[in-house]
Amino acid sequence: MENFSISINKDLVDVDLLLQDQLSLPEAMRQLNLCEAFVGVLSGRTVAVCLLAKRKNYHDIVNLSVAPLQEETGVIYELLMYVMDYVRVQGGRFVEIGMGHAELRRHALLIRLGFRVVGVWGDYFVRRDQ
């Protein structure tokens, strides 16, 4: 992809992108502070963000967002492949992705990349917000 690069730099994160995948600004900022940020940059503009948290026995993608105009350009695929390679180099064996919405295209991409649905937490947002 021409003029596309990936950076590990929290200063490049577009908060509006984070809010596509989060309920609130405080929660998005909390996650940004606790996670590593992988930023997809296309022609000098931030177009995708992936926040990765290291847990005890696995890595957790807590936010995966892409600019609306870049949804079907392959940007999210390139960013995910980079993050997966990063996890492998770090010695990671498992990656969890929590999806806060039921966007079928995103689910289909994750399944094509080898992820699988292992459970659904029907009351996740109810329990989290209490």
Side-chain angles (χ1 to χ4, degrees), residues 10 15 18-19 22 24-36 51-53 55 60 62-63 124 128-129:
K10 289 184 181 184
V15 176
L18 293 181
L19 289 173
Q22 288 306 316
S24 69
L25 181 59
E27 178 64 16
M29 297 310 293
R30 185 185 73 76
Q31 287 183 347
L32 180 59
N33 288 329
L34 295 174
C35 296
E36 291 182 84
L51 297 183
L52 181 70
R55 307 292 187 213
D60 185 9
V62 297
N63 192 306
Y124 172 76
R128 188 188 77 169
D129 293 336

Side-chain angles (χ1 to χ4, degrees), residues 20-123:
Q20 289 180 10
D21 213 35
Q22 288 306 316
L23 296 176
S24 69
L25 181 59
E27 178 64 16
M29 297 310 293
R30 185 185 73 76
Q31 287 183 347
L32 180 59
N33 288 329
L34 295 174
C35 296
E36 291 182 84
F38 298 83
V39 181
V41 180
L42 181 63
S43 300
R45 291 186 52 237
T46 297
V47 295
V49 175
C50 178
L51 297 183
L52 181 70
K54 175 92 167 90
R55 307 292 187 213
K56 185 174 181 180
N57 296 317
Y58 64 98
H59 288 79
D60 185 9
I61 294 177
V62 297
N63 192 306
L64 182 62
S65 303
V66 63
L69 295 177
Q70 301 300 322
E71 282 184 359
E72 296 191 25
T73 63
V75 166
I76 205 74
Y77 172 83
E78 294 294 327
L79 184 58
L80 266 174
M81 297 293 23
Y82 184 93
V83 170
M84 299 305 293
D85 287 341
Y86 175 86
V87 168
R88 279 187 206 97
V89 168
Q90 299 296 314
R93 295 183 51 216
F94 299 100
V95 176
E96 179 179 287
I97 300 177
M99 300 291 292
H101 48 77
E103 185 179 316
L104 295 178
R105 287 183 310 197
R106 183 80 52 90
H107 283 265
L109 171 64
L110 294 173
I111 289 168
R112 282 195 311 271
L113 292 174
F115 287 92
R116 60 185 171 182
V117 177
V118 295
V120 177
W121 295 351
D123 60 350

